[in-house]
Amino acid sequence: MNDGSPANARKEPVLSATALRKAYGRVEALRGADFELFPGEILAVIGDNGAGKSSLIKCLSGASSPDSGEIYLDGKKVTFRSPQDAKDAGIETVYQTLAVAPALDIASNLYLGREIRKSGLLGSVLRHMDIARMRREAREHVNRLGIQTLQDITQPVETLSGGQRQAVAVARAAAFGSKVVILDEPTAALGVRESAQVAAIIKQLRDHGLPIVLISHDMPSVFELADRIHVQRLGRRAAVLSPQTHTMEDAVAIMTGARAA
Amino acid sequence: MTVEATDTGSGPPPEGAKAPTIGNRVQHVLHAHPSLGPLVVLVISAIIFDLINGRFFSAANLSIMLQEVAVIGLLALGQTVIILTAGIDLAVGAAMILAQMVMAGLALTSGWPVWLAIAGGLVVALVTGLVDGLLVTRFKVPPFIGTLGTLGVFTALGLLYANGQTLTPSAGNFLLWPGNLIKIGSFSLMTGVIVMLVLYLIVGYALGRTAWGKHVYAVGDDPEAARLVGINTARLLLSVYVLAGLIYGIAAWVQIGRVGDASTNISSTLNLDSITAAVIGGVSLFGGRGIVLGTLFGALIVQVFQNGLALAGVQDLYQQLAEGLLVIAAVAVDQWIRKVRT
């Protein structure tokens, strides 16, 4: 196997997994898959349909648990029983469905499930929200991430375009993903211009130091954004490529099994 | 005048920028303030009915209308919280009647202290909500079917417990407290109306200002998204049904006070009336949209139409016709404003 950038070999991975196995009935989705994400990088995960991409991501985000194999976060072994466990550990996932509430405004969506409450009894007993503070901090946060596409934080999400909704979901993940952000097909439903906006946001996240796992079918954007590319094939990691030393043709060839890694 | 400065909202630079039509503006305003439509309907219809019959705005008539609206307003309040979660409660009326018979029965037949009997009725109402909530969350029964089932169960339990009797508390009994009238000049305000308004304030506060309320809207809007952000949707739904049940229990007490007795022989349209009030008030049957103030307007609109048409000398059937048309219009408007895009 070939590691794209040798410099990473000395660093400790933020998130890693060894020999993950997961079967759904008779179908073996993962057959001893390994995974490594290093600090400050964008790692793309590519693979054909049925290669075990989503099973791998589900294990890492706590949406399902592997039958065997181990997951390490910052070198410590972790076990996720639910997405909440992974969130609590600092891993945020942006699902393809985005998981936003359309009728609620941007600020409410950013803080959905972790609303900022007023201090004192009002907050602890009645769960009275500090709406002004939530809006203020949401605005600051969006500005800090340099997301220009979201202007009015009180706008309902259903009035936003697909790219803007994606930006809301990514901003939320970045706000609470203290260790890792996982993005599942962030540009799949978007047009060319909106994809470019989302790509810019993803780069900004990396520049803020957040390591990112990017699952994508979109080869050009994978090669544009990724520092390293994890190729998943037949339930295993077939190779790790670098966009500098490999071409899209190489990646596709390994992905489809036309060429050995 | 520049084109892009016409809207205060931001959004992406308009691609095929076209000036918003009046229809677009109305759609946006209604989208942001869903209870504005019902308020306008309420005011205009009241003015028209007063022009037809000058007695409409008399203190006596206003007093009666508010008294009439207290019970249905409370039932519609519980119904609204459930509809906000994209659910529906077909057992509202049955739950209220059961709670009412238990309250009166414990106090008058079993000889419990009145306050304890009222508490007992409230507990029964709360349990009806718990049963509905467990059906929806634990057994994954769609609310429409689950509450259709409990409608039968609660109705039968109420009839069995009442055993055909009408229970009439003697004057001064605390059971009749919500029926007490407070005279303000020639206007008389029923205590039950104040109870209703206080509950609207409490529920309105909880929905609008607390994290619980935000989660009610989120679950109604997109339950899967709510689950993925870490909201315990089952526990939230359960709390909603239990709260609604408690409100039906309070409605039961107000009903006893308003009518002066407890009987199972109450209008069978309570279920639909509560849904009607919520829907006319701009609460979306698809969940996640609407506020309780709208429901209050909705309940008042139904009352204003019934009373106004009666005063205008219009036959009963036309009142039903008008109510039916109002519901259809309200749902059509809801469908329209849900399509809003900037």
Side-chain angles (χ1 to χ4, degrees):
Chain A
M1 194 157 41
N2 121 27
D3 192 322
S5 53
N8 279 327
R10 270 174 238 126
K11 281 199 237 167
E12 278 290 304
V14 190
L15 181 64
S16 64
T18 52
L20 292 181
R21 290 185 169 275
K22 178 78 185 176
Y24 298 95
R26 280 186 173 169
V27 183
E28 281 189 285
L30 293 178
R31 313 174 179 195
D34 297 323
F35 176 88
E36 271 163 338
L37 173 71
F38 290 97
E41 72 168 352
I42 297 179
L43 175 74
V45 175
I46 62 172
D48 222 342
N49 290 337
K53 271 184 323 223
S54 25
S55 301
L56 174 65
I57 295 315
K58 278 183 183 162
C59 289
L60 297 176
S61 66
S64 68
S65 30
D67 299 333
S68 68
E70 273 149 19
I71 301 173
Y72 298 89
L73 183 64
D74 282 338
K76 270 178 256 154
K77 189 170 181 293
V78 285
T79 317
F80 300 139
R81 284 190 194 79
S82 71
Q84 198 58 45
D85 287 354
K87 276 173 200 263
D88 294 344
I91 301 175
E92 280 286 324
T93 307
V94 177
Y95 300 92
Q96 233 174 318
T97 54
L98 296 186
V100 290
L104 300 182
D105 63 22
I106 296 175
S108 300
N109 265 293
L110 282 182
Y111 287 99
L112 196 56
R114 357 183 192 217
E115 289 77 7
I116 302 177
R117 303 184 198 168
K118 293 251 191 209
S119 53
L121 280 181
L122 210 56
S124 58
V125 178
L126 294 179
R127 303 209 276 161
H128 188 114
M129 297 179 293
D130 193 339
I131 295 175
R133 193 173 141 209
M134 276 162 51
R135 290 195 170 152
R136 196 175 60 238
E137 291 189 3
R139 204 171 289 121
E140 284 168 7
H141 179 70
V142 165
N143 289 342
R144 200 167 46 240
L145 288 175
I147 304 179
Q148 273 126 22
T149 175
L150 304 178
Q151 299 284 332
D152 179 4
I153 218 79
T154 62
Q155 222 181 328
V157 165
E158 66 196 340
T159 63
L160 301 177
S161 68
Q164 290 172 315
R165 289 184 199 207
Q166 188 76 48
V168 172
V170 172
R172 178 170 65 197
F176 300 102
S178 52
K179 302 253 170 71
V180 175
V181 171
I182 300 174
L183 304 171
D184 190 4
E185 298 282 1
T187 55
L190 302 181
V192 176
R193 209 189 56 171
E194 299 208 300
S195 294
Q197 284 176 352
V198 171
I201 295 171
I202 294 173
K203 278 187 193 154
Q204 252 145 0
L205 288 193
R206 184 212 20 218
D207 297 346
H208 280 78
L210 260 181
I212 292 163
V213 182
L214 171 71
I215 300 104
S216 185
H217 268 108
D218 176 7
M219 282 297 167
S221 76
V222 163
F223 270 77
E224 184 203 336
L225 289 170
D227 298 306
R228 295 187 312 135
I229 301 169
H230 167 132
V231 186
Q232 183 79 12
R233 178 171 156 71
L234 301 175
R236 289 196 189 89
R237 177 168 67 180
V240 179
L241 313 176
S242 155
Q244 273 84 46
T245 55
H246 293 76
T247 62
M248 283 190 217
E249 286 72 30
D250 298 334
V252 172
I254 296 170
M255 213 171 96
T256 54
R259 192 194 305 165
Chain B
M1 196 177 101
T2 54
V3 183
E4 77 242 31
T6 47
D7 206 304
T8 51
S10 52
E15 260 138 48
K18 44 184 182 237
T21 62
I22 292 176
N24 275 337
R25 282 166 195 246
V26 172
Q27 194 182 20
H28 272 106
V29 171
L30 285 179
H31 187 263
H33 308 281
S35 58
L36 211 59
L39 178 62
V40 172
V41 172
L42 178 63
V43 171
I44 292 178
S45 56
I47 291 172
I48 291 175
F49 285 126
D50 190 62
L51 290 176
I52 296 172
N53 187 328
R55 289 217 321 271
F56 183 85
F57 273 136
S58 69
N61 194 45
L62 288 179
S63 311
I64 287 178
M65 277 199 290
L66 276 180
Q67 290 168 24
E68 294 281 348
V69 101
V71 172
I72 204 68
L74 282 168
L75 295 182
L77 179 63
Q79 183 76 261
T80 297
V81 187
I82 290 176
I83 292 179
L84 282 176
T85 66
I88 194 120
D89 189 351
L90 298 180
V92 244
M96 184 197 82
I97 293 171
L98 175 61
Q100 168 190 257
M101 294 321 295
V102 169
M103 269 179 206
L106 289 179
L108 305 177
T109 313
S110 310
W112 288 29
V114 176
W115 64 269
L116 199 59
I118 292 169
L122 291 179
V123 168
V124 167
L126 206 135
V127 170
T128 65
L130 188 66
V131 170
D132 286 336
L134 285 174
L135 283 176
V136 171
T137 56
R138 188 69 57 84
F139 299 100
K140 312 285 179 213
V141 183
F144 187 91
I145 302 300
T147 57
L148 187 64
T150 53
L151 164 66
V153 173
F154 299 156
T155 305
L157 287 177
L159 287 167
L160 286 169
Y161 184 82
N163 202 14
Q165 279 183 299
T166 294
L167 300 168
T168 313
S170 50
N173 191 312
F174 189 54
L175 271 174
L176 298 176
W177 176 78
N180 289 350
L181 298 177
I182 301 161
K183 292 275 179 201
I184 308 164
S186 53
F187 180 80
S188 39
L189 184 64
M190 191 176 78
T191 315
V193 174
I194 300 172
V195 170
M196 176 192 75
L197 292 175
V198 168
L199 277 165
Y200 267 86
L201 280 177
I202 294 173
V203 176
Y205 163 80
L207 284 174
R209 288 282 174 271
T210 70
W212 175 84
K214 208 47 115 185
H215 297 173
V216 169
Y217 283 96
V219 167
D221 209 5
D222 188 338
E224 183 58 17
R227 195 184 63 80
L228 286 174
V229 299
I231 295 172
N232 185 338
T233 52
R235 201 172 62 192
L236 184 99
L237 283 172
L238 199 59
S239 75
V240 163
Y241 282 87
V242 169
L243 171 71
L246 181 64
I247 296 173
Y248 304 151
I250 296 167
W253 187 17
V254 173
Q255 168 75 13
I256 296 175
R258 152 105 191 86
V259 178
D261 61 38
S263 116
T264 52
N265 195 9
I266 302 178
S267 162
S268 57
T269 62
L270 284 173
N271 295 322
L272 294 181
D273 286 348
S274 68
I275 298 170
T276 302
V279 169
I280 291 180
V283 179
S284 172
L285 284 174
F286 301 94
R289 242 165 278 256
I291 58 173
V292 293
L293 186 63
T295 299
L296 184 59
F297 293 152
L300 287 168
I301 288 172
V302 172
Q303 188 53 44
V304 161
F305 266 74
Q306 284 177 358
N307 181 285
L309 290 172
L311 281 184
V314 176
Q315 204 192 324
D316 274 15
L317 288 176
Y318 287 100
Q319 298 173 23
Q320 275 186 33
L321 184 79
E323 200 177 314
L325 291 176
L326 271 177
V327 173
I328 294 170
V331 174
V333 168
D334 176 48
Q335 290 282 37
W336 177 56
I337 59 179
R338 273 163 13 101
K339 289 202 204 102
V340 77
R341 288 282 180 280
T342 43

